[in-house]
Amino acid sequence: MMELKEIKCESCGHVNQPGTQLCQSCGKMINSDYDRKKIKDLMRYDGSAVRSKVRSKSIFDKIWIFFTSIKIGVMIILAIAVAAAIGTIFPQEYFIPLGVDPADYYQENYGTLGYLYYSLGFHNLYSSWWFVLLNGMLALSIIAASIDRGVPLFKSLKNQRAKKHESFYRRQRLFMHEKDNGNADEVISQLKDKRYKARRDGDNYLLEKGKLSRWGPYINHTGLIILLIGSMLRFFPGMYVDEIVYLNEGETKDLPTTDGQYYVKNDGFILDTHGESSGEVFEESLNQGNNIVSNFQTDISVYENESSDVVGAEPELTKIDDYSIRVNHPYRFGSYELYQSSYDDSQMKAMTFSLEDADGNTVGENFTVNLDDPDQSYQIDENTEIKMRAYAPDFQEIDDNGTLVSETPVPRNPAFVFEVNAGGDSELSLLQIMNSTDITQNNDYSIRFVEAEQHTASVLTLKKDHTIPLVAGGFVIFLAGVFIGSYINHRRIWISLEDGFTLAGHTNKNYFGMKKELDTILEANSFSPVSERQEIEDKAKDKES
């Protein structure tokens, strides 16, 4: 590429930046060697040099051109859109059941595609490093493009001159010339009444309004950048919290991400259902024996740990509040919110058993096993004791060494090995929910399941979001930019009285409206209406044909 040099205008003597096509002082075309196809609309920046269009020598220039390219920006947006769409094919890991292994869940529910989905990391797509990188690249592209085009735009609008070369007038889309000045002063006065701001240089005038319209896209970009920054800040510790808190009735837990400062206790879970008097809306479902939940809530006590700053110290809890959390009625404290998300009644809390002899007679009293913290022995009468030799909360299989293997620590499918000691004799039995197997031969006793008590656990969601002001503010700024860019027109009118009455007009949109506005004022002051260059060129083509 040829070496870029400053360009001096032969008409007015103004020295212009390298790559400039129109003289920034008089508007004359000055760079005939430059490839004009690179900037189709010279008036967009009044001929000011756009760095990405005129520089490509150094590595920095090549990186700059890459990020300022509209094509690259569109490709990044498409990549983000495709990735986001892939993330909706199957549920993200956040939405799968608690305590379930993600690898098994996706394969069991969605087959080979689910396994591939998990293996490629799409189950945590929106927090993956490459998705964050794509968002960062989009932010860089927007920032670079805004600087690349915004700086020359600012310079061109700031350094506008009222006096322009004759060729500048004839190059504009709206143009008219008459030899008599006539009521030129009245035309200028009426344009000022239309909120045009006037700038004068001798017998040359520049009248302008709606300059803010040119900044609409850049306001859009600013809003998008703020929105993207807010979105990416969600992955920084302390900025965004969305954690599940699983609380059994009566259980007290420290809240995640609070560094042990806050604890919450489940004082009780309430589940209300619609009854027969609920009306026709639920009548059909109720007749089918279905329960329809009308409300579920958790009564909580919130504690603050006074010793949270002391490493290794036992919690010193001080109650700060009692509250009933219902759906859409969260408990708010500090910068956190605690929502009622759902509930879980699939866990077993306790199981009651009875011991029967070979004749089917019940021996002693029934005994109850607390599944959260089972006892090791149960005395059912003076001569009979039952000992628990093994326990698996969520039974999967018996290992080669004879131990019970539990899939999870959650008591969903408990299994036990009980030893019955009666009159000095002992015998072993493996007991599952739906099955009982004698381990020793010719057992005289059998243990029977009587009843079970379910846990009703409350599932709460702890939220904190410091990014909402950024995301909401960015969205509002983006909408403001859309409004400014769509409904405000940047209109400029140049008038020269040096050789009769010469007028040229330019706008970034709606030439029809501008022509109508000018024609009304010109005809009221005995001037001819403006000519539109496009119409003149069309007429000339018609004559040639």
Side-chain angles (χ1 to χ4, degrees), residues 22-309:
L22 301 180
C23 176
Q24 293 179 353
S25 177
C26 69
K28 182 182 178 181
M29 185 77 71
I30 57 174
N31 192 353
S32 58
D33 295 330
Y34 179 65
D35 183 2
R36 299 175 187 176
K37 293 181 180 179
K38 289 189 175 182
I39 301 180
K40 296 180 180 179
D41 183 4
L42 298 178
M43 288 301 296
R44 181 176 295 178
Y45 309 106
D46 290 3
S48 297
V50 178
R51 181 185 178 90
S52 64
K53 304 294 183 182
V54 300
R55 301 286 296 274
S56 61
K57 296 180 67 175
S58 67
I59 294 177
F60 176 80
D61 289 332
K62 295 182 184 299
I63 295 173
W64 184 259
I65 291 170
F66 175 83
F67 280 105
T68 57
S69 170
I70 300 298
K71 292 181 180 179
I72 296 298
V74 171
M75 290 173 62
I76 294 173
I77 292 173
L78 287 175
I80 293 174
V82 171
I86 292 173
T88 64
I89 294 175
F90 300 128
Q92 293 289 289
E93 184 178 349
Y94 177 85
F95 296 104
I96 70 175
L98 292 172
V100 177
D101 183 20
D104 295 337
Y105 175 84
Y106 284 102
Q107 187 166 14
E108 290 175 3
N109 288 273
Y110 307 109
T112 304
L113 282 178
Y115 175 76
L116 185 64
Y117 193 81
Y118 174 80
S119 301
L120 294 175
F122 291 145
H123 64 297
N124 278 322
L125 186 143
Y126 303 112
S127 59
S128 62
W129 65 268
W130 58 270
F131 190 78
V132 175
L133 179 63
L134 280 177
N135 281 273
M137 290 179 65
L138 178 60
L140 283 176
S141 178
I142 294 173
I143 292 171
S146 299
I147 294 174
D148 188 57
R149 294 157 176 81
V151 171
L153 176 64
F154 172 78
K155 290 180 178 179
S156 66
L157 294 179
K158 181 182 178 182
N159 299 324
Q160 292 183 97
R161 301 289 193 271
K163 186 175 182 178
K164 293 292 184 180
H165 191 267
E166 179 186 356
S167 62
F168 176 86
Y169 280 86
R170 298 187 179 279
R171 199 168 52 248
Q172 301 310 311
R173 182 168 170 177
L174 299 180
F175 171 76
M176 65 87 63
H177 173 74
E178 291 193 2
K179 295 181 179 180
D180 186 10
N181 288 345
N183 297 323
D185 292 338
E186 187 63 25
V187 170
I188 295 170
S189 176
Q190 291 182 24
L191 287 172
K192 289 180 180 178
D193 293 340
K194 294 282 188 180
R195 301 191 307 277
Y196 281 88
K197 294 181 179 180
R199 189 181 303 175
R200 182 177 180 180
D201 182 4
D203 288 333
N204 299 277
Y205 296 85
L206 167 61
L207 298 106
E208 181 180 32
K209 71 175 179 181
K211 187 188 295 187
L212 183 62
S213 173
R214 301 291 295 278
W215 298 106
Y218 302 94
I219 296 173
N220 289 347
H221 292 177
T222 302
L224 284 174
I225 292 166
I226 294 173
L227 198 152
L228 286 170
I229 290 173
S231 299
M232 290 188 290
L233 281 177
R234 290 187 166 211
F235 303 105
F236 284 76
M239 293 297 295
Y240 178 77
V241 173
D242 191 348
E243 297 283 346
I244 294 294
V245 181
Y246 199 94
L247 276 177
N248 292 316
E249 287 186 289
E251 185 180 11
T252 302
K253 272 188 179 179
D254 64 318
L255 292 175
T257 74
T258 65
D259 297 325
Q261 183 179 2
Y262 293 102
Y263 283 70
V264 62
K265 179 182 179 183
N266 183 350
D267 293 323
F269 181 78
I270 300 173
L271 181 66
D272 297 324
T273 58
H274 288 284
E276 295 180 358
S277 60
S278 299
E280 297 180 359
V281 176
F282 306 107
E283 184 176 355
E284 182 178 350
S285 183
L286 291 171
N287 289 338
Q288 296 175 357
N290 299 325
N291 289 326
I292 301 176
V293 177
S294 61
N295 173 59
F296 55 93
Q297 69 181 55
T298 306
D299 296 331
I300 63 169
S301 295
V302 183
Y303 299 88
E304 186 171 6
N305 182 12
E306 302 293 343
S307 61
S308 60
D309 296 334

